Amino acid sequence: ILLFRPGGFIADNSDYEFYYAWGLTLPMGYTTFEYLWTAYPPLFPALMLPDFVWSSYISPWVEPRLAFHVLFGLELLLFEIGNFILIYRLAQRLQAERSADGAFSPGAADIALPLKATVFYALLFAPVYTLLGWFEAMPLFFLLLGLELLLSRRRGMWIASAVAAALGFLVKLTPMMLV
């Protein structure tokens, strides 16, 4: 997790500030966006708001938002680690398909394509930038998980893929592209 000064150097005025302000309404008895699915479907608040509650038990150190940023950043980091694993697995699947067709010779380069794809994703600026200020790692995780399960050769995995797409839809509307 990259932590910058309050407001950040790159992700200045990120959505983390909005999520923190959203959490501040809980002690006042408000339930913001409870019935407004187009803005935030219910799984995202269900995963984000407990981070705010837990961070409120940690006494502020230098900045009152620090504990929330760390806890929410750790949660998003778990989803981003899942994204790395799924990108690696999808690249492995692509390499296996290419070698089965005879277009790719197996050997020492067996690990090359999956590793290159994962390192390429890790070096992109957009995933790091969005991880600093937005929650796009969550819907991407469910989208990649649904794709991984959909491409699985095991019988009945399309049902698990539909469940992953549905969970992704409960985080953000974009994973429904998989359907």
Side-chain angles (χ1 to χ4, degrees), residues 59-120:
S59 59
W61 179 42
V62 174
E63 166 64 35
R65 300 171 291 181
L66 179 64
F68 173 72
H69 281 236
V70 170
L71 290 176
F72 188 58
L74 284 172
E75 182 177 345
L76 290 177
L77 186 62
L78 292 175
F79 281 101
E80 197 64 57
I81 290 169
N83 290 340
F84 282 123
I85 293 168
L86 289 167
I87 287 170
Y88 187 85
R89 290 179 51 116
L90 286 167
Q92 271 184 327
R93 183 180 308 280
L94 179 64
Q95 184 172 0
E97 292 289 326
R98 288 173 65 189
S99 63
D101 292 341
F104 192 76
S105 61
D110 282 346
I111 200 166
L113 182 64
L115 191 59
K116 283 180 183 177
T118 308
V119 168
F120 177 71

Side-chain angles (χ1 to χ4, degrees), residues 141-158:
F141 171 77
F142 288 112
L143 182 69
L144 290 173
L145 179 63
L147 182 62
E148 166 72 20
L149 294 170
L150 188 62
L151 295 175
S152 176
R153 295 189 186 272
R154 292 175 38 203
R155 186 176 168 165
M157 292 308 283
W158 64 271

Side-chain angles (χ1 to χ4, degrees), residues 15-16 18-20 22 33 39-51 68 72 75-76 79 133-139 142 167-172:
D15 279 358
Y16 276 39
F18 175 67
Y19 308 146
Y20 183 78
W22 187 359
F33 297 109
Y40 293 100
L43 188 57
F44 169 67
L47 294 173
M48 184 270 302
L49 289 175
D51 290 336
F68 173 72
F72 188 58
E75 182 177 345
L76 290 177
F79 281 101
W134 295 271
F135 69 101
E136 304 306 318
M138 281 186 200
F142 288 112
L167 287 173
F169 176 73
L170 291 176
V171 171
K172 198 168 186 174

